[in-house]
Amino acid sequence: MVTHNAPESIGDRTRRADRSYGAHLLGSAAGAAAAAVLFGLLLVLVEAHWTPLRDIDTGAADRLHHIAVRHHEWTRALSFVSNWILSPGTLRTAVALLTLWLLHRRAWRLAAWSAVTAGAGALTGVLVKAIVERARPALSDPVAHAPGYSFPSGHAMTATTSFAIFLLVLLPFVPRAAHRLCWLVAALAVVGVGFTRVALGVHWCSDVIGGWLLGLAVVSATTWAFEVWRVDAGRRPAPVADGLEPELDRPEPEPPHSHGS
């Protein structure tokens, strides 16, 4: 005897969506908390001049500096990537243009999320640098120079927030099969930026890790806030890994009122 399952009611779909949203919301909050806790722990270790961390920092700096001094073409390539292609100025300009494009598409709240995420990341990085006041590496025969304090790395933090913004905004326009590739490319770019700063001798390893963690905490917190807005607006929960607003490809990507359909 063949049995047919009863069609899912609107209430059942809503409850299932609510459970899914709760998991996504919890994941965003947990990500922000974990990144903040790890960053706080790293900051404590940096301030305490913890010997194992100091050994890692100085060991990596010395080895990479030795390579940089002996291979000038390699050093020039790293400098070009770090100071031009993936510099904070270049990435912030790209985020600003993306935000203007979102305004043009009338994606007001997503544009606000992009601007706040980028702005909060930049401001937080400056404030933490001023509080910690960590000196940059002092190497013999330096191959590069950078102004200001060292912890956290502004390049690493800006790369983390910027590529997160690019992904979470633009993934709805990318075929789902390519989403993992996009995340991989973005992760490699962020790691690459951090590597250039250590290889050029202008940051310690812990500076770069601190920039990654602090950037992740900022993105997780603002993403959590956007997810809360989606529920208030009556939007269905969406996997964050597939973009913040799947409706972005529609003529009217956002509802006109906070509790619209």
Side-chain angles (χ1 to χ4, degrees):
M1 179 178 179
V2 178
T3 60
H4 299 280
N5 294 327
E8 188 178 35
S9 68
I10 294 176
D12 291 337
R13 289 198 301 269
T14 301
R15 284 189 290 273
R16 180 165 53 83
D18 287 344
R19 287 193 296 271
S20 177
Y21 173 75
H24 300 149
L25 196 60
L26 182 61
S28 297
V37 168
L38 290 174
F39 175 80
L41 176 60
L42 181 63
L43 177 57
V44 169
L45 296 177
V46 167
E47 290 283 74
H49 304 287
W50 190 47
T51 301
L53 181 62
R54 186 177 58 193
D55 291 343
I56 292 173
D57 279 341
T58 56
D62 290 342
R63 285 191 295 271
L64 290 174
H65 181 64
H66 180 71
I67 296 173
V69 169
R70 296 182 60 183
H71 299 85
H72 300 292
E73 293 298 328
W74 165 254
T75 302
R76 279 193 286 270
L78 293 180
S79 297
F80 182 70
V81 170
S82 180
N83 297 328
W84 293 99
I85 297 179
L86 296 177
S87 70
T90 300
L91 293 176
R92 287 169 185 160
T93 300
V95 169
L97 293 174
L98 179 64
T99 303
L100 291 175
W101 175 76
L102 290 172
L103 291 174
H104 175 71
R105 289 189 61 85
R106 300 179 182 273
W108 315 113
R109 298 168 184 85
L110 194 57
W113 172 84
S114 173
V116 168
T117 301
L123 180 60
T124 302
V126 170
L127 291 176
V128 174
K129 278 179 181 284
I131 292 171
V132 177
E133 296 185 345
R134 189 186 197 187
R136 293 182 183 271
L139 303 170
S140 60
D141 192 19
V143 299
H145 300 276
Y149 295 116
S150 190
F151 183 89
S153 166
H155 277 69
M157 186 170 181
T158 302
T160 301
T161 56
S162 298
F163 278 99
I165 291 170
F166 299 150
L167 284 171
L168 294 176
V169 168
L170 297 175
L171 277 178
F173 296 97
V174 178
R176 183 177 292 272
H179 283 192
R180 290 186 178 180
L181 177 61
C182 290
W183 281 101
L184 176 61
V185 171
L188 290 175
V190 171
V191 171
V193 169
F195 174 79
T196 65
R197 304 309 286 167
V198 179
L200 291 172
V202 293
H203 276 295
W204 305 107
C205 278
S206 52
D207 298 336
V208 169
I209 296 172
W212 290 336
L213 291 174
L214 195 55
L216 180 60
V218 170
V219 171
S220 297
T222 58
T223 298
W224 175 84
F226 192 87
E227 287 279 273
V228 171
W229 166 76
R230 283 188 65 86
V231 163
D232 289 343
R235 286 292 174 89
R236 65 177 178 83
V240 174
D242 292 332
L244 280 184
E245 194 151 54
E247 302 86 359
L248 188 59
D249 57 350
R250 299 179 183 177
E252 293 291 336
E254 293 183 2
H257 302 291
S258 61
H259 291 283
S261 58

